[in-house]
Amino acid sequence: MLRNLRITLGLIFFVGATLLFLDFTGTIHAWLGWIAKVQFLPAVFAMNLAIVAGLVAITLLFGRVYCSVICPMGVLQDIIAKFGKWSKKNRYSYSPALNVWRYTLFGVMILAIIFGIGSIVGMLAPYSSFGRIVHSLFGPIWIWGNNLLAGFAERMESYTFYSRELWIKNWALFATSVVTLVAIGILAWKNGRTYCNSICPVGTFLGFLSRFSLYRPTIELAKCNSCGLCAKNCKSACIDSKSHKIDYSRCVSCMDCIGKCHKQAIKYTYKRVKVESLEPAMETVKSEVNDSSRRNFLGLMAFVGGAALMDAAEKTVDGGLAVIEDKKIPSRNKHISPPGSKGHVNIASRCTGCQLCVTVCPNHVLRPSGNLANFMHPIASYERGYCRPECTKCSEVCPTGAIQKIDLAEKSSIQIGRAQWVKENCIPLTDGVSCGNCERHCPVGAIQMIASVAGDEESLKIPAVDTEKCIGCGACEHLCPSRPFSAIYVEGNEKHRLV
């Protein structure tokens, strides 16, 4: 019963978290956004003491149920391990804890948090790693399926679905996600929860607490016949059947051992049974196990190479005549951080790179950074869209406080950057034709067209930017007809300011 309850709750959290990273409309966040906020590291960064205290209390009471129920990365390992288990039953065995290794990684995580190195935190954070895998690898498949439905709906004159542009936002992040999934997949396939108990810093911390948990699986030696089935089915490799001991720092209370024990010698209880007080009454019974030939894990991995091949073809002609050259990213001295992030320092110290904000950005403005200094953190760029004043979705979904929630009034007054004019690219000067696109589309009226020749009002007009009014939304940069580089671009503010 306890095992079935654990599986049911784990699947609910797993499916809910997966949908959060696939939902590009932001609709699901209104219902399931709490799943992101109850994850351990996001709650720590958001300084949500109630959530952190609750998770600590749950661990002290019931052991590491967070790892087997709430954490989607933990459930993902169980799913992969299940496929591996079908290939060979009773395949696990006890192994000593790699304490030096896992406490070293835990120390690295603590130092990264103290010194505000969010990229390292993001690489080690289980929830963020899971988010990057879903966003980078499953996300393209999800969007491709949505676009198929949109095509069918359009033929039936229905607009229930709408097409979404499909593209890989950062190839370095895509490669990182592939490597992460393959590494964790191999570990889970072969050894169960190796990542959870040897690499994950959250697991290490909660494992330390779970040594003092009130309820835990306990071996009653009076009933145990030393068959070893419990150890052979323990994905955490934490049951030493020879000495009848359980390493509670690695036990995730999955209840698999309880379900496999034919003598009901393992119970999830508060009662303590001292191993030294009893001697096993029976000799070890060796169980013979038939190997099965099921190997379905390759099907799970088949999608890895597919995501990169499904990039939607963009239209490259204007009226069937002129080729439209794609815009290129300008060289910015300072990158642009999302509204609500307050600036580079805050987002660098609190962002774990989970990609929730990138997933819900409706205008293709946010994408993960490929620079080592802020790797995986969201940055804004305006080749495919601009940051619309009526949109605050990224601030609504961030679980860590790296992007703090703002309303529409605040959004319109936060300056995340300043527009800069590039004379050499401006069409009135290069082609001798009038333009004014940047002025027409500036939502805050920060651009005015002035005469290119002082004193000659008949000369072609060029843009003049009022940097005190500009909020850095990028409408001018995105809608500038100059190719491949815009004649006006946004230089990011290291620290946001109000205008």
Side-chain angles (χ1 to χ4, degrees), residues 62 64 79 85 94 138 143 165 176 252 278 286-287 292 309 323 341 345 360 367 386 497 499:
F62 305 111
R64 285 176 58 182
I79 294 174
K85 187 176 180 180
Y94 172 79
F138 287 95
I143 295 175
E165 187 177 4
T176 301
V252 295
L278 294 173
K286 295 183 179 180
S287 58
S292 78
L309 301 177
V323 175
S341 65
V345 174
V360 301
R367 71 280 310 270
Y386 67 94
R497 59 183 290 266
V499 296

Side-chain angles (χ1 to χ4, degrees), residues 372-386:
L372 290 178
N374 60 332
F375 185 55
M376 304 181 298
H377 292 174
I379 59 173
S381 199
Y382 304 123
E383 296 74 56
R384 297 173 181 265
Y386 67 94

